[in-house]
Amino acid sequence: MEPPNWWTGHSLNPVRLLIHGSALRGATVIAPAGLTASRVSVNSAGTYLFVDIGIARNAKPGAYPLQIRTGEGIASAPFRIDAPLPSQGRFQGFSPDDVIYLIMIDRFADGDPSNDDPAISRGLFDRSKPRYYHGGDLQGIIDHLPYLKSLGVTAIWMTPVYDNTNKPNVRQAVNGEPIADYHGYGATDYYGVEEHFGTLRLLRTLVDDAHRLGIKVIQDQVANHVGPDHPWVADPPKPTWFHGTAAQHINETWQIWTLPDPHASVTLKRDVVDGWFVDKLPDLNQEDPDVAQYEIQDALWWIGAAGFDAIRQDTLPYVPRTFWHDWSAALKRQYPKLRAVGEVFDPDPAVPSFFQRGVKRSDGIDSGIDSVFDFPTFFNIRDVFANGGALDTVSKTLAKDRFYPNASVLITFLGNHDVPRFMHEQGATVDRLKLAFTFLMTVRGTPCIYYGDEIAMQGGNDPDNRHDFPGGWKGDPRSAFEALGRTAQESSVFDYVQKLAQLRAKLEPLRRGKLVDLAVTEKTWTFARESPAGTVIVAMNNGADPADIAISYSSDAFFMSQLGVAADFTIHAGTGAVRLPPHSAEIYVKR
Ligand SMILES: [Ca+2]
Ligand SMILES: [Ca+2]
Ligand SMILES: [Ca+2]
């Protein structure tokens, strides 16, 4: 029964249930008092039944079992109406006031060794294998919320909690070796919590505990595709449920730049939207209204069931924009403050900007999606700060903020679970990582920290970029969650990021101020963040030598340094000067 429950007073009513069973052909549905059943349809295999359930305005929370009748007999299907979770302190969205922290659940901390190798999915746990479960779970995150709080994190984004396959994933075997879907991106049950991670009840505890500490929780959702082992693949609820079948489908081309391209053919665009991701992941057909409604309800259900504040949508461009428009509208109708951010993996601002809400694009559609990840500046961060590229590359990308309906809400980041870690770059050093963090925490947007980057963790391509956080497992030789357990290098980066987060929290212009470029060269950059609350100036030296940087500013003023890297300075007759060590930055507050 999907969903297993719905809520009183919900904006989506009736709710369309999908019931899985056998011999359902010709079935009728009888609803108890308080509910009405209509629009019944059954697939030709008799294995799936859709029914619209209307909930009376005065219906009370409780059990409302449905009767399913055919000529062969009667079955009872459990269904529940619940009172909604109080909205106070939930469904809060996110904004540039936040600092987000991305957690790969399986790799962060093992708070409950009893779920490491559950009976139902025995054999997928092996810490020596980088593509197997390692034991990290929801309890591990709960246990380390105080660590995140102390770092200055105000929102966590966890990789998906959906139940993934209980068997080795042979279709995505690497070098002939099956893998485990420990990452969560291959749902086999859109209404279940992965048993390696915990339960729905524990998920709600995590969200509530985080909220008590002033930390929001962003759910990672995947509407584009399911895992290869989803039962729908062998037995679809409708013939049009997926784009094609496992045997016959389009292979996804990844050419998402064709979607805003005025010259791309219908076929090119269709291959992006209808293709199976990596040729393996069954692609849902959101143009079928039953699929669209199923997925909209599923999104609403997780928010309502767990009390999440926001959604991160995986593989956003691979889903029709009409769907995102309807999906966003349905979520906002029920949760007006909820926010969604989409993954649009492209270095050219012309592509991610196409997917942000606020304007009807060439296809006549406003996606409704609040924000997108800032992949263009991510690529710049690597080129410029890790590898010594010209600093004005960044300014030139920021100049393209004009493409976005609202660039101030983009999610900025210097690493995530799909790319090698910053410290893996050829030119990376701790100083350069700190400089990249300074950029992240001082430019426009909402910064997102990938777990472990705050202690300069190493790692190349997936899965090498997903090592276990040191100290997250019983028996680990040391814990980087504790100051005393960190190496000197880890402490140096952690303390610096913590300081940046404190400054960002304290200095409103760093979060909400207008970004004003003052001067940029190949090696140095100065910019201001200006808001009614004040002015902050950031100066950067990306060179290998100390740099004397002239700062032009409109009025005479005294600027105090905040990081202790360089001295204070004064603006006289429109100019001042600072001296910065190699690969360093300073933040100045106007007094
Ligand atoms: Ca565990
Ligand atoms: Ca599972
Ligand atoms: Ca698709």
Side-chain angles (χ1 to χ4, degrees):
M1 186 74 119
E2 297 182 340
N5 68 291
W6 207 244
W7 291 276
T8 53
H10 202 284
S11 59
L12 190 144
N13 184 14
V15 60
R16 191 151 174 79
L17 305 187
L18 177 57
I19 301 173
H20 185 37
S22 59
L24 290 167
R25 225 169 293 128
T28 55
V29 176
I30 295 144
L35 306 185
T36 53
S38 62
R39 285 188 64 220
V40 174
S41 63
V42 177
N43 67 347
S44 63
T47 49
Y48 283 99
L49 180 151
F50 293 92
V51 57
D52 275 6
I53 295 296
I55 301 162
R57 199 183 290 266
N58 59 358
K60 299 273 183 295
Y64 288 79
L66 307 176
Q67 272 195 6
I68 318 290
R69 288 191 188 183
T70 69
E72 293 170 69
I74 302 175
S76 179
F79 185 64
R80 236 176 41 247
I81 301 295
D82 290 332
L85 292 176
S87 60
Q88 180 69 29
R90 295 187 173 91
F91 325 123
Q92 306 169 92
F94 61 79
S95 77
D97 288 344
D98 288 310
V99 173
I100 301 172
Y101 189 89
L102 164 56
I103 295 175
M104 183 141 239
I105 301 172
D106 183 57
R107 304 296 162 91
F108 187 61
D110 182 4
D112 180 6
S114 78
N115 63 18
D116 286 355
D117 198 13
I120 192 176
S121 48
R122 187 76 72 208
L124 299 179
F125 169 78
D126 186 343
R127 283 189 74 194
S128 73
K129 291 185 176 171
R131 291 186 173 88
Y132 270 53
Y133 282 97
H134 287 190
D137 49 35
L138 300 178
Q139 188 60 50
I141 298 173
I142 293 171
D143 294 345
H144 294 98
L145 289 170
Y147 167 81
L148 300 174
K149 180 79 182 169
S150 81
L151 178 59
V153 167
T154 66
I156 54 175
W157 152 29
M158 297 182 292
T159 47
V161 295
Y162 303 128
D163 190 11
N164 274 231
T165 184
N166 296 342
K167 295 181 293 189
N169 178 347
V170 291
R171 289 181 190 81
Q172 292 183 273
V174 177
N175 301 327
E177 257 234 67
I179 62 170
D181 283 352
Y182 69 90
H183 46 69
Y185 290 97
T188 51
D189 179 355
Y190 265 136
Y191 282 92
V193 172
E194 170 55 42
E195 69 278 0
H196 288 87
F197 299 159
T199 60
L200 179 61
R201 179 187 288 261
L202 191 63
L203 178 64
R204 193 180 296 160
T205 300
L206 186 160
V207 174
D208 287 348
D209 286 2
H211 285 162
R212 262 191 290 279
L213 286 173
I215 297 174
K216 299 162 179 171
V217 186
I218 302 170
Q219 187 195 6
D220 203 331
Q221 295 192 353
V222 190
N224 181 59
H225 52 260
V226 293
D229 283 348
H230 196 294
W232 290 336
V233 181
D235 179 22
K238 290 175 82 172
T240 47
W241 200 250
F242 292 113
H243 290 121
T245 64
Q248 193 166 30
H249 58 259
I250 300 166
N251 181 9
E252 211 296 306
T253 64
W254 297 24
Q255 292 178 320
I256 59 174
W257 55 270
T258 60
L259 298 170
D261 176 6
H263 310 298
S265 71
V266 171
T267 308
L268 277 180
K269 296 185 193 205
R270 189 202 62 201
D271 290 354
V272 175
V273 176
D274 295 1
W276 285 33
F277 209 70
V278 297
D279 203 19
K280 298 285 195 306
L281 301 177
D283 195 70
L284 287 158
N285 172 18
Q286 294 84 8
E287 273 150 345
D288 180 304
D290 286 326
V291 174
Q293 185 157 357
Y294 178 96
E295 295 209 275
I296 287 169
Q297 289 178 179
D298 187 54
L300 284 163
W301 183 85
W302 282 104
I303 304 303
F308 289 116
D309 300 290
I311 296 169
R312 178 263 182 185
Q313 258 300 344
D314 193 61
T315 47
L316 187 89
Y318 303 92
V319 174
R321 288 159 47 78
T322 46
F323 173 77
W324 292 131
H325 173 88
D326 296 346
W327 180 89
S328 301
L331 283 160
K332 291 281 168 67
R333 211 172 288 131
Q334 181 67 20
Y335 305 110
K337 289 196 284 186
L338 188 98
R339 292 291 176 268
V341 53
E343 180 203 28
V344 185
F345 200 128
D346 197 286
D348 179 355
V351 181
S353 61
F354 183 71
F355 293 89
Q356 190 185 27
R357 79 170 164 137
V359 58
K360 280 187 186 174
R361 294 295 183 178
S362 49
D363 53 7
I365 298 157
D366 180 332
S367 73
I369 299 292
D370 302 288
S371 182
V372 289
F373 288 95
D374 192 354
F375 276 93
T377 63
F378 158 75
F379 286 105
N380 293 160
I381 287 171
R382 295 301 182 89
D383 291 346
V384 171
F385 297 116
N387 296 317
L391 245 178
D392 59 2
T393 313
V394 184
S395 307
K396 286 174 185 168
T397 298
L398 293 171
K400 292 179 181 170
D401 276 359
R402 65 185 184 275
F403 287 126
Y404 295 96
N406 182 5
S408 71
V409 299
L410 299 182
I411 308 291
T412 49
F413 60 100
L414 57 78
N416 69 21
H417 52 326
D418 291 324
V419 295
R421 287 197 182 262
F422 183 97
M423 290 306 288
H424 188 74
E425 297 285 342
Q426 198 141 34
T429 65
V430 162
D431 283 344
R432 289 172 177 214
L433 176 61
K434 288 180 181 174
L435 193 50
F437 267 120
T438 313
F439 171 82
L440 199 67
M441 300 290 251
T442 59
V443 288
R444 83 330 175 228
T446 307
C448 180
I449 301 168
Y450 180 42
Y451 87 95
D453 279 349
E454 78 278 18
I455 53 164
M457 272 174 74
Q458 294 277 353
N461 267 313
D462 168 10
D464 193 39
N465 55 357
R466 302 169 174 187
H467 285 290
D468 303 344
F469 193 98
W473 277 254
K474 286 189 180 65
D476 280 359
R478 65 187 182 86
S479 173
F481 289 119
E482 314 284 339
L484 289 173
R486 285 174 210 137
T487 64
Q489 174 174 298
E490 287 171 351
S491 284
S492 149
V493 179
F494 179 93
D495 294 350
Y496 189 79
V497 175
Q498 183 184 51
K499 177 73 182 170
L500 287 172
Q502 285 165 357
L503 286 172
R504 191 174 165 90
K506 187 175 92 174
L507 302 172
E508 191 249 37
L510 285 180
R511 293 175 274 119
R512 304 183 187 185
K514 183 175 155 59
L515 174 64
V516 182
D517 255 339
L518 300 177
V520 63
T521 70
E522 204 185 317
K523 300 280 186 210
T524 66
W525 185 24
T526 52
F527 61 86
R529 300 291 308 269
E530 297 175 338
S531 83
T535 296
V536 173
I537 285 182
V538 179
M540 291 185 176
N541 174 16
N542 197 40
D545 303 309
D548 292 302
I549 304 174
I551 298 180
S552 301
Y553 195 68
S554 51
S555 56
D556 287 4
F558 178 65
F559 281 88
M560 286 177 62
S561 70
Q562 304 294 306
L563 290 170
V565 167
D568 303 337
F569 73 93
T570 306
I571 297 279
H572 277 308
T575 62
V578 298
R579 184 176 176 81
L580 287 184
H583 299 295
S584 74
E586 183 56 276
I587 297 170
Y588 294 97
V589 175
K590 184 180 164 190
R591 277 282 175 272

